[in-house]
């Protein structure tokens, strides 16, 4: 058999990487004015149930670890049973910030997991198109994240005084899932924690270690339910999807 053909066959036979989704859902809902954003209903279904259903439906995701506040662990287990989340591996206690919650979740994924897809529990509108693109890109490059061009002009300011206006044509708003080689991400998050580096997304932990991160096509609908008005936006997105 020619070398070319044998290489081609090997490539075709290479299995896709095993992927574990880690879902941080341990936030305090401080910006939700007391509303439990993950338990809040969108079109008659809890936000977190919608998020988990999207991950369950994606054939490139093999297992799901949900990270939540300790007192919510039994309720989240029940929610997964009611909504048929069969890929659930476990529900674990979160930490003081998102990065710590992700680190605690990563410690629970299967040893065979090559990729970790970290997806905010509060992003229920992630599409199958977006998932497929970010997961297949990360399988090729080691780290990928969906992003959309920033619509507003962004300024840096201190005490309400503008210091700098950033070049909008180079700015991207990143979303989740952020898909990264699982062992590298765990090491990078641990490194940031030990060095006291504060991060608000997963990629910045591996970027800090010099790893290249590829942007894939995000979607403006892939919103994070953060403030009460986002629930109203969410209902509007559902309506558009149903029309
Ligand atoms: O705080 P932020 O909006 O970045 O939260 C994004 C996601 O991280 C939410 O789904 C939230 O529940 C989760 N989170 C967490 N543990 C924390 C803080 C936030 O799992 N301590």
């Amino acid at each position: 058999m020619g070398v070319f053909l044998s290489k081609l066959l090997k490539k075709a036979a290479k299995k896709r990487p095993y992927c574990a989704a880690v879902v941080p859902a341990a936030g305090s809902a401080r910006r939700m004015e007391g509303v439990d954003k993950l338990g809040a209903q969108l079109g008659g279904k809890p936000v977190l149930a919608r998020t988990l259903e999207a991950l369950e439906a994606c054939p490139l995701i093999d297992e799901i670890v949900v990270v939540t506040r300790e007192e919510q662990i039994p309720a989240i287990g029940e929610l997964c049973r009611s909504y048929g989340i069969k890929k659930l591996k476990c529900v674990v206690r979160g930490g003081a910030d998102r990065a710590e919650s992700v680190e605690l979740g990563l410690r629970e994924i299967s040893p065979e997991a090559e990729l970790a897809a970290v997806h905010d529990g509060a992003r229920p509108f992630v599409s199958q198109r977006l998932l497929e693109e970010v997961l297949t890109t990360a399988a090729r490059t080691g780290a990928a994240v969906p992003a959309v061009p920033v619509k507003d002009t962004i300024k840096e300011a201190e005490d309400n005084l503008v210091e700098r206006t950033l070049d909008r044509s180079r700015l991207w708003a990143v979303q989740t899932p952020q898909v990264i080689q699982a062992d590298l991400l765990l090491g990078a998050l641990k490194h940031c924690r030990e060095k006291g580096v504060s991060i608000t997304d997963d990629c910045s932990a591996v970027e800090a270690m010099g790893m290249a991160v590829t942007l894939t096509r995000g979607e403006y609908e892939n919103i994070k339910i953060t403030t009460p008005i986002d629930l109203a936006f969410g209902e509007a997105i559902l309506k558009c999807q149903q029309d």
Side-chain angles (χ1 to χ4, degrees), residues 213-234:
V213 176
T214 308
L215 296 183
T216 63
R217 280 177 306 148
E219 290 172 2
Y220 287 111
E221 295 91 323
N222 185 20
I223 60 169
K224 183 170 65 174
I225 307 290
T226 307
T227 61
I229 193 69
D230 294 326
L231 284 172
F233 292 144

Side-chain angles (χ1 to χ4, degrees), residues 24-27 31 37-38 95-98 101 120-122 224:
R31 289 168 290 177
K37 63 178 169 183
L38 297 165
D97 58 22
R98 186 183 179 285
S101 293
D120 293 328
K224 183 170 65 174

